[in-house]
Amino acid sequence: MEEKDFQSIEYFVKREVLDELCLDEVAQKGTWSTKLTLGDQVKESLRCSVPRLKHILLTWVPVLSWLPRYSIRENALGDLISGCSVGIMHLPQGMAYALLASLRPVYGLYTSLFPVLVYFIFGTSRHISIGTFAVISIMVGSVTERLAPDSNFIVNGTNGTETVDIDKRDAYRVQVACSLTVLTGIFQILLGVVRFGFVVTYLSEPLIRGYTTGSACHVCVSQLKYLFGITPSRFIGPLSLIYVIAATIITHFCELPSKYNIDVVGEIPSGFKAPRAPDTTFFSGVIGDAFAVAIVGFAINISLSKTFGLKYGYKVDSNQELVALGLSNTIGGFFHCYSVTSSLSRSLVQESTGGKTQVVGVISSIIVLITVLEIGPFFEDLPKAVLSTIVFVNLKGMFKQFMDVFLLWKTNKVDLLVWLVTFISTIVLNLDLGLAVSVAFSMLTFIFRTQLPRYSILGNLPGTELYLDTDTYKEAKEIPGIKIFRSSATIYYTNAEMFLEVLQEKTGIEIGKLLSANKKRDAKQKRKEEKEKKKAKKEAKKQSLSCTFSLKESQMNMENVSERTKGERNGNSVAFSMTETATDGLHKGQVNLAYEPDITMSDSDSDTGSDHITEFSRHGDEEKKQACESGTHSIILDISTTSFVDTVTVKTLKNIFRDFGEVDLDIYLAGCQACVVEQLEAADFFSASIPKSRLFITVHDAVLYILKKRGKADFVLDVSCNTQM
């Protein structure tokens, strides 16, 4: 019933046709600006007042805005239960993920404590759980094993065998991990301070999900040695995943070790180590890895944060999240922690058990603190194979992302390609190179999409003011003599040339040929004019010489007449008469009769040249007619999809107006956004040859104007604004 009522709704619009100039007048476009000048912005930023200081403090330290208003009755019980649940999850996950980072399990417990407390103070999300995460841990592990491989710590044993100095190796790896973590945090803080949180938008969801799925495969492979109780050689770099797998299979199934010892967690010292500044000498070697960890960690964190924010109706500040995550890593790096981000599994548990604020993080940290101080030694005999099993179980959600392939196949093939390229490059090229290749490929797909937009010729839907793609809608009919051209993307330097090419192809007007024909015609006509001018000069010179000769002859005839006798009157009269006539002719600028044949010949040549020019002119008109067989006299460019213009776009549009105008085709713009009009004005686009009256607010306005200009009033009535829906 509701749908039927909607279909019977009608609306009628009666207004004047509006171009840009009329719109400015009718809508009273203002020339004022509400934006502050650069000087005013600097003054405003340096101005100090109590309200401004309070605002800055609450923005940078969000806990001060929500903790004083914390409702114990509504939130305390849920946060307590959730905090205990998340804290219990932190213990096995922290120790297990520390193995992924090639660190001792106790450092996973440290990482589950200090960064969580920092995020409690500076974070804006109420539901995410900060701490260890599999993907970030494996990224850190790839760096620690690259800079501190076992081969660098081999010592001679008592019986001549070579062994690895595990204590020295692990201590060195902790220094590498802490330095990497601090540098990661610095990157995140800097990006947050300069309001660069939008950088993560370049990591699309298919890219992130493909990357985390590929990372999950790396995580699984890294745990095989603990699961099977073997110690194969570690490989790094491209194809390292395949080499690990191969080594594990050979070592295990060929029963190379003669004796299998169960590998356990080992010593978990009670208490904490003293804070220590990171070794800055590692920064140059891990700068690329630190930036990759910073971006991936933030991408995972902000995606989860915004998901919960949308679900529960609160705002998550992406820039503040960068700062909060950066401080968590930077401060944590001084307390022997490695890089952190939010965990999907812990965040879901935090939400499902009733957690509503980050007080949950404080409670979970208390549980981890008690474990480190008092009950840590109870975990010393825990087999690492158990921790590996925990890792496998927690990766279940990531492996479910393989279902994205079937979904993307149905919905978006380009996103599917991004997912597959990201996954394969992460598997084959390792985590760092895989991320770089994935981002580059994702950017290429964006560039290709804007370089290859859909171009359409629009037609009017009879009885409406709608103009639709004639290839898509059967009832959309082109307006006779008018071509309406639209691009589905913004016109800018990468696709401006293609825009012009497709415009000519779609409209059937090859502007290059028309301009070439015009130039040839003009050049030939100019040559003819020069030739005629030379001939005229030559004839004028001949005429001047003949006039001089006739004058001398007349003078001689006069002298002869005076000497003759009076008896010869009849003959003399005739001679005088002829001479007088010739003399009068000279005074009047007439040509002497002796040169009349030359004049006739000249006239004949002139007539022939004139006929040739006329014939060529007709030939040029025929070429123009042939190029515009459809009778097109006007072209409307619908640029409603264009959100900005650059210098290349402005130049392209100017050339279109100029070149099409030279072959008597009128160009109009329609649907131009106000910001684009301002950019065109700033670029001096409008001039006497391109007035603002050529810019209309809608395609329909442009069509009505053209039809009225062409005197087709009957057709105007057929496409009136009386519209029925």
Side-chain angles (χ1 to χ4, degrees), residues 247 250-260:
I250 294 172
T251 304
H252 180 70
F253 288 101
C254 293
E255 299 182 357
L256 296 181
S258 58
K259 183 179 180 181
Y260 295 96

Side-chain angles (χ1 to χ4, degrees), residues 222-235:
S222 69
Q223 295 303 292
L224 292 178
K225 61 181 180 181
Y226 300 115
L227 196 63
F228 293 113
I230 56 178
T231 55
S233 300
R234 183 71 182 220
F235 298 91

Side-chain angles (χ1 to χ4, degrees), residues 449-471:
R449 284 179 178 182
T450 57
Q451 277 189 320
L452 302 172
R454 181 173 181 176
Y455 297 100
S456 309
I457 291 292
L458 305 185
N460 176 254
L461 185 63
T464 72
E465 82 288 0
L466 303 177
Y467 292 83
L468 309 174
D469 185 358
T470 54
D471 293 334

Side-chain angles (χ1 to χ4, degrees), residues 64-76:
L64 299 178
S65 64
W66 63 266
L67 188 59
R69 297 182 283 107
Y70 183 80
S71 176
I72 297 178
R73 178 181 298 178
E74 295 179 2
N75 302 328

Side-chain angles (χ1 to χ4, degrees), residues 176-357:
V176 173
C178 291
S179 299
L180 173 68
T181 301
V182 171
L183 188 57
T184 297
I186 292 173
F187 277 132
Q188 290 172 333
I189 293 172
L190 291 177
L191 290 174
V193 169
V194 299
R195 322 305 287 174
F196 215 63
F198 69 89
V199 70
V200 76
T201 58
Y202 290 99
L203 301 180
S204 63
E205 184 178 359
L207 186 148
I208 294 175
R209 293 175 72 87
Y211 184 77
T212 53
T213 306
S215 301
C217 295
H218 279 278
V219 171
C220 286
V221 172
S222 69
Q223 295 303 292
L224 292 178
K225 61 181 180 181
Y226 300 115
L227 196 63
F228 293 113
I230 56 178
T231 55
S233 300
R234 183 71 182 220
F235 298 91
I236 59 175
L239 302 178
S240 61
L241 183 70
I242 297 173
Y243 297 141
V244 170
I245 292 177
T248 301
I249 292 174
I250 294 172
T251 304
H252 180 70
F253 288 101
C254 293
E255 299 182 357
L256 296 181
S258 58
K259 183 179 180 181
Y260 295 96
N261 295 320
I262 298 178
D263 195 7
V264 296
V265 169
E267 181 185 4
I268 299 181
S270 299
F272 297 97
K273 294 185 177 181
R276 180 179 176 181
D279 190 347
T280 56
T281 58
F282 291 114
F283 282 3
S284 60
V286 300
I287 186 169
D289 303 282
F291 188 78
V293 173
I295 296 300
V296 173
F298 175 63
I300 296 171
N301 185 77
I302 197 64
S303 61
L304 273 178
S305 299
K306 291 198 171 182
T307 299
F308 288 118
L310 289 173
K311 184 175 181 179
Y312 291 97
Y314 61 89
K315 182 181 178 181
V316 175
D317 186 348
S318 58
N319 294 304
Q320 181 60 28
E321 283 296 296
L322 260 175
V323 173
L325 198 60
L327 288 172
S328 298
N329 282 320
T330 303
I331 296 174
F334 286 86
F335 289 89
H336 309 282
C337 303
Y338 65 90
S339 299
V340 296
T341 188
S342 55
S343 166
L344 177 61
S345 58
R346 290 196 307 271
S347 298
L348 291 176
V349 169
Q350 180 169 328
E351 179 211 13
S352 61
T353 53
K356 295 180 180 178
T357 68

Side-chain angles (χ1 to χ4, degrees), residues 29 35 58 206 210 229 337 353 429 432 482 493 500 507 549 593 627 631 636 665 701:
K29 182 179 180 181
K35 295 181 180 179
L58 295 180
C337 303
T353 53
L429 302 176
D432 47 1
I482 302 175
Y493 71 95
L500 179 57
T507 58
F549 178 77
L593 294 175
I636 301 173
L665 283 170
D701 286 272

Side-chain angles (χ1 to χ4, degrees), residues 552-562 564 575 579:
K552 288 182 179 180
E553 186 179 0
S554 298
Q555 290 175 353
M556 289 174 65
N557 289 337
M558 290 290 291
E559 290 175 358
N560 292 333
V561 168
S562 63
R564 288 179 184 177
T579 307

